[in-house]
Amino acid sequence: MSSFNSSTVVDLRSDTVTLPTESMYARMRVASLGDDGLDGDPTARELEQYTTKLLDKPAGLYAPSATMANLLAILAQVDRQEVVLAGAGSHIYTAERGAATFTGAFYQPIPDPEGALDLQALTSALASTKGNLQARLVCIETSHNNEGGAVASLDHMRKVFEVSRASGVRVHLDGARLFNAALALGESTASICKQADTVSVCLSKGLSAPMGAVLVGPESVIQRARWLRKLVGGAQRQVGICAAAGLEALRSQVARLAEDHATAQLLADGLSAIPKLQVKRPQTNIVQVNVAATGMTAKQWEAHLRERSVLVRPWGPHLMRCVTHRHIDKASVEQAIAEFRSVVEATAPAPTI
């Protein structure tokens, strides 16, 4: 694999590459600490309480990752041989499904074009019982990772919640990029969270914390999730060091996500002007680029761009994903666009004579 100059690299692979801010490091150095597995860590408790108020939920739990937070939400609400209904393209369905391994719960995919559950398919699944299998939890995601950061409307989420509640089924929201979704909708995070019983929110993507997520929901669910966290190896000790960064992320980084959305729009505009590239208009900070018309695969494109110090992720045979974040400014976007254009020009077939 060709090397690149790390000092000039434009890393568009994910917003998980973001590094902590100086204010996060400062808060980490003075954080009050305790044993989160025994009496509790005071800074972790502060983070949990702050998030519950922000999202308007009764209780919260700090977890090492959003994947674990989603797992705990499912384990705490779904028993053996019960069914989790999840978007067919959602991260919970395509990449997680840990509850199936640990408890024997079943996952049933529901079509979710453009990141919104198909309401008719959901209604049919909720009404159906196969043998002893009973739907117990509906999982939704916003913004939608596999659909290029798509954001379902608040009205759609409300309908999903109402349909599920009418069937006696709870709703869990994978809000890994919840604040991006709220910004795109022009809604408060609390108004979005009203459309779900439990919500997980990631702190280590665009918010730039080094790790962690918070799961919020009813007190009884969170108490069970806290016990389950220990069972699956998530007991944490002086975790206030990391929780302090999470607190600072929520207090100082939410508003600046608008900058990431703006740079994503600039990137999409610039790439759209390059021949043979098909670019999906971003709602948030994720830009999807289809390169099928160039005659190359996404992996070939990734290699060409890496040689030019631009990092992207293949997201299918001919689909690439580019994610803007705190370390991507206007100059970075201009550099990326220039290198995309360079690849097209360098790989174009020679004209016939």
Side-chain angles (χ1 to χ4, degrees):
M1 181 177 293
S2 300
S3 61
F4 55 85
N5 185 343
S6 60
S7 64
T8 60
V9 68
V10 178
D11 195 341
L12 297 168
R13 291 173 297 174
S14 176
D15 44 9
T16 60
V17 303
T18 50
L19 300 176
T21 64
E22 287 303 316
S23 61
M24 290 181 195
Y25 285 121
R27 185 177 285 268
M28 292 164 74
R29 282 191 287 268
V30 298
S32 298
L33 303 178
D35 191 325
D36 199 44
L38 295 177
D39 303 322
D41 181 280
T43 305
R45 285 199 299 263
E46 184 182 357
L47 171 61
E48 292 166 352
Q49 292 165 3
Y50 183 87
T51 310
T52 59
K53 291 179 181 178
L54 189 64
L55 305 185
D56 195 23
K57 292 296 183 185
L61 173 67
Y62 185 44
S65 69
T67 297
M68 181 178 283
N70 288 333
L71 172 64
L72 295 175
I74 295 170
L75 292 177
Q77 299 179 89
V78 180
D79 290 327
R80 179 174 293 277
Q81 294 188 339
E82 292 183 332
V83 178
V84 177
L85 303 175
S90 69
H91 200 263
I92 282 179
Y93 183 74
T94 61
E96 298 180 15
R97 283 192 270 182
T101 301
F102 294 134
T103 70
F106 292 85
Y107 284 69
Q108 180 177 336
I110 303 296
D112 56 349
E114 298 300 317
L117 292 184
D118 184 309
L119 287 171
Q120 184 175 351
L122 175 62
T123 302
S124 297
L126 288 168
S128 174
T129 55
K130 299 178 180 179
N132 293 324
L133 301 183
Q134 179 67 49
R136 187 60 60 200
L137 188 68
V138 171
C139 292
I140 57 179
E141 180 179 330
T142 196
S143 69
H144 200 287
N145 188 43
N146 283 335
E147 288 292 334
V151 180
S153 70
L154 192 62
D155 182 61
H156 179 273
M157 293 181 65
R158 186 179 296 113
K159 289 176 181 176
V160 169
F161 189 53
E162 291 173 350
V163 166
S164 302
R165 174 164 284 187
S167 297
V169 176
R170 286 178 170 173
V171 175
H172 171 66
L173 169 60
D174 176 0
R177 294 183 176 89
L178 174 65
F179 297 99
N180 293 92
L183 177 62
L185 292 177
E187 300 282 354
S188 69
T189 50
S191 64
I192 294 175
C193 293
K194 285 181 181 178
Q195 317 314 319
D197 296 283
T198 55
V199 181
S200 63
V201 59
C202 185
L203 305 173
S204 63
K205 293 186 171 69
L207 297 183
S208 298
M211 61 162 281
V214 181
L215 173 67
V216 298
E219 183 70 44
S220 59
V221 174
I222 298 303
Q223 283 183 354
R224 180 168 173 78
R226 194 175 296 276
W227 172 69
L228 289 164
R229 186 186 66 178
K230 183 175 183 179
L231 293 188
V232 298
Q236 303 170 106
R237 300 305 176 186
Q238 288 73 37
V239 75
I241 292 175
C242 292
L247 266 170
E248 183 63 21
L250 289 174
R251 288 171 174 162
S252 68
Q253 296 300 303
V254 172
R256 65 146 307 280
L257 292 176
E259 299 173 22
D260 300 342
H261 290 203
T263 50
Q265 291 288 347
L266 285 175
L267 179 62
D269 290 342
L271 296 181
S272 296
I274 299 176
K276 298 184 178 181
L277 297 185
Q278 297 179 339
V279 182
K280 183 177 181 180
R281 179 62 52 184
Q283 282 186 272
T284 54
N285 66 320
I286 300 176
V287 180
Q288 286 188 337
V289 185
N290 191 309
V291 297
T294 68
M296 293 189 295
T297 66
K299 287 187 176 181
Q300 289 172 320
W301 262 92
E302 178 195 27
H304 282 298
L305 288 169
R306 179 176 285 271
E307 290 175 351
R308 293 162 170 80
S309 297
V310 175
L311 306 184
V312 299
R313 288 181 72 182
W315 214 247
H318 295 98
L319 192 65
M320 295 189 302
R321 190 182 80 155
C322 304
V323 185
T324 56
H325 48 80
R326 190 169 65 86
H327 305 310
I328 301 297
D329 57 14
K330 185 177 179 181
S332 303
V333 169
E334 291 173 348
Q335 179 183 340
I337 293 169
E339 298 302 349
F340 267 86
R341 188 179 297 277
S342 173
V343 172
V344 170
E345 293 172 349
T347 58
T352 58
I353 298 176

